[in-house]
Coordinates of all heavy atoms in Angstrom, one line a residue:
P115 N -39.9 -10.1 16.1 CA -39.0 -9.4 17.0 C -38.9 -10.1 18.4 O -37.8 -10.2 18.9 CB -39.5 -8.0 17.1 CG -40.2 -7.8 15.8 CD -40.8 -9.1 15.5
D116 N -40.0 -10.5 18.9 CA -40.0 -11.1 20.3 C -39.2 -12.5 20.2 O -38.5 -12.8 21.2 CB -41.4 -11.3 20.8 CG -42.0 -10.0 21.2 OD1 -41.3 -9.0 21.4 OD2 -43.3 -9.9 21.3
D117 N -39.5 -13.2 19.2 CA -38.8 -14.5 19.1 C -37.3 -14.4 18.9 O -36.5 -15.1 19.6 CB -39.4 -15.3 17.9 CG -38.7 -16.6 17.7 OD1 -38.7 -17.5 18.6 OD2 -38.1 -16.9 16.6
I118 N -36.9 -13.4 18.1 CA -35.5 -13.1 17.9 C -34.8 -12.7 19.2 O -33.7 -13.1 19.6 CB -35.2 -12.1 16.8 CG1 -35.7 -12.6 15.5 CG2 -33.8 -11.6 16.7 CD1 -35.0 -13.9 15.0
L119 N -35.5 -11.8 20.0 CA -35.0 -11.4 21.3 C -34.8 -12.6 22.2 O -33.7 -12.7 22.8 CB -36.0 -10.4 21.9 CG -35.6 -9.8 23.2 CD1 -34.5 -8.8 23.0 CD2 -36.8 -9.1 23.9
Q120 N -35.7 -13.5 22.2 CA -35.5 -14.7 23.1 C -34.4 -15.6 22.6 O -33.6 -16.1 23.4 CB -36.8 -15.5 23.2 CG -36.8 -16.6 24.2 CD -36.5 -16.1 25.6 OE1 -37.2 -15.1 26.1 NE2 -35.6 -16.7 26.3
R121 N -34.3 -15.7 21.3 CA -33.2 -16.5 20.7 C -31.8 -16.0 21.1 O -30.9 -16.7 21.3 CB -33.4 -16.7 19.2 CG -34.5 -17.7 18.9 CD -34.9 -17.6 17.4 NE -33.9 -18.1 16.5 CZ -34.1 -18.2 15.2 NH1 -35.2 -17.8 14.6 NH2 -33.1 -18.6 14.4
G122 N -31.7 -14.6 21.1 CA -30.5 -14.0 21.5 C -30.1 -14.2 22.9 O -29.0 -14.5 23.3
I123 N -31.2 -14.1 23.8 CA -30.9 -14.4 25.2 C -30.5 -15.8 25.4 O -29.5 -16.1 26.2 CB -32.2 -14.1 26.0 CG1 -32.6 -12.6 26.0 CG2 -32.1 -14.6 27.5 CD1 -34.0 -12.3 26.5
D124 N -31.2 -16.8 24.8 CA -30.9 -18.2 24.9 C -29.4 -18.5 24.4 O -28.7 -19.3 25.1 CB -31.9 -19.0 24.1 CG -33.3 -19.0 24.7 OD1 -33.4 -18.6 25.9 OD2 -34.2 -19.4 24.0
A125 N -29.0 -17.9 23.4 CA -27.7 -18.1 22.8 C -26.6 -17.7 23.8 O -25.6 -18.4 24.0 CB -27.5 -17.4 21.5
V126 N -26.8 -16.5 24.4 CA -25.8 -16.0 25.3 C -25.8 -16.8 26.6 O -24.7 -17.2 27.1 CB -26.1 -14.5 25.7 CG1 -25.2 -14.0 26.8 CG2 -25.9 -13.6 24.5
T127 N -27.0 -17.2 27.1 CA -27.0 -18.1 28.3 C -26.3 -19.4 28.0 O -25.6 -19.9 28.9 CB -28.5 -18.3 28.6 OG1 -29.2 -17.1 28.8 CG2 -28.6 -19.2 29.9
Y128 N -26.5 -20.0 26.9 CA -25.9 -21.3 26.6 C -24.4 -21.1 26.4 O -23.6 -21.9 26.9 CB -26.5 -21.9 25.3 CG -26.2 -23.3 25.1 CD1 -26.5 -24.3 26.1 CD2 -25.7 -23.8 23.9 CE1 -26.2 -25.6 26.0 CE2 -25.3 -25.2 23.8 CZ -25.6 -26.1 24.8 OH -25.3 -27.4 24.6
A129 N -24.0 -20.1 25.7 CA -22.5 -19.9 25.5 C -21.8 -19.6 26.8 O -20.7 -20.0 27.1 CB -22.3 -18.7 24.6
K130 N -22.6 -18.9 27.7 CA -22.0 -18.6 29.0 C -21.7 -19.9 29.9 O -20.9 -19.8 30.8 CB -23.0 -17.7 29.8 CG -22.4 -16.9 30.9 CD -21.6 -15.7 30.5 CE -21.1 -14.9 31.6 NZ -20.2 -13.8 31.2
S131 N -22.4 -21.0 29.5 CA -22.2 -22.2 30.3 C -20.9 -22.9 29.9 O -20.4 -23.8 30.6 CB -23.4 -23.2 30.0 OG -23.4 -23.7 28.7
F132 N -20.3 -22.4 28.8 CA -19.0 -22.9 28.3 C -17.8 -22.0 28.6 O -16.7 -22.5 29.0 CB -19.0 -23.2 26.8 CG -20.0 -24.3 26.4 CD1 -21.3 -24.0 25.9 CD2 -19.7 -25.6 26.5 CE1 -22.2 -24.9 25.5 CE2 -20.5 -26.6 26.1 CZ -21.8 -26.3 25.7
V133 N -18.0 -20.7 28.4 CA -16.9 -19.8 28.6 C -17.5 -18.5 29.4 O -18.7 -18.2 29.3 CB -16.3 -19.3 27.3 CG1 -15.6 -20.5 26.6 CG2 -17.3 -18.6 26.4
E134 N -16.6 -17.9 30.0 CA -17.0 -16.7 30.8 C -17.2 -15.5 29.8 O -18.0 -14.6 30.0 CB -16.0 -16.3 31.9 CG -16.3 -15.1 32.7 CD -17.6 -15.3 33.5 OE1 -18.0 -16.4 33.8 OE2 -18.3 -14.3 33.6
D135 N -16.3 -15.4 28.8 CA -16.3 -14.2 27.9 C -17.2 -14.5 26.7 O -16.8 -15.3 25.8 CB -14.8 -14.0 27.5 CG -14.7 -12.7 26.7 OD1 -15.6 -11.9 26.6 OD2 -13.5 -12.4 26.3
V136 N -18.3 -13.9 26.6 CA -19.3 -14.1 25.5 C -19.6 -12.7 24.9 O -19.9 -11.8 25.5 CB -20.6 -14.7 26.0 CG1 -21.6 -14.8 24.9 CG2 -20.3 -16.1 26.6
E137 N -19.4 -12.7 23.6 CA -19.7 -11.5 22.8 C -21.0 -11.8 22.0 O -21.1 -12.9 21.4 CB -18.6 -11.1 21.9 CG -18.9 -9.9 21.0 CD -17.7 -9.4 20.2 OE1 -16.5 -9.7 20.6 OE2 -17.9 -8.6 19.2
F138 N -21.9 -10.8 21.9 CA -23.1 -11.0 21.1 C -23.1 -10.0 20.0 O -22.9 -8.8 20.2 CB -24.3 -10.8 22.0 CG -25.6 -11.1 21.3 CD1 -26.1 -12.3 21.2 CD2 -26.3 -10.0 20.8 CE1 -27.3 -12.6 20.5 CE2 -27.6 -10.2 20.1 CZ -28.0 -11.5 19.9
Y139 N -23.4 -10.4 18.8 CA -23.5 -9.5 17.7 C -25.0 -9.3 17.2 O -25.8 -10.3 17.2 CB -22.7 -9.9 16.5 CG -23.1 -11.2 15.8 CD1 -24.1 -11.3 14.9 CD2 -22.4 -12.4 16.2 CE1 -24.4 -12.6 14.3 CE2 -22.7 -13.6 15.6 CZ -23.7 -13.7 14.7 OH -24.0 -14.9 14.1
C140 N -25.4 -8.1 17.0 CA -26.7 -7.7 16.5 C -26.6 -7.5 15.0 O -26.3 -6.4 14.6 CB -27.2 -6.5 17.2 SG -27.3 -6.6 19.0

Side-chain angles (χ1 to χ4, degrees):
D116 287 342
D117 178 58
I118 295 302
L119 185 69
Q120 189 59 50
R121 286 167 67 177
I123 294 168
D124 291 345
V126 171
T127 302
Y128 194 54
K130 199 77 174 176
S131 70
F132 294 99
V133 297
E134 182 58 34
D135 189 4
V136 175
E137 178 173 342
F138 184 84
Y139 62 84
C140 305

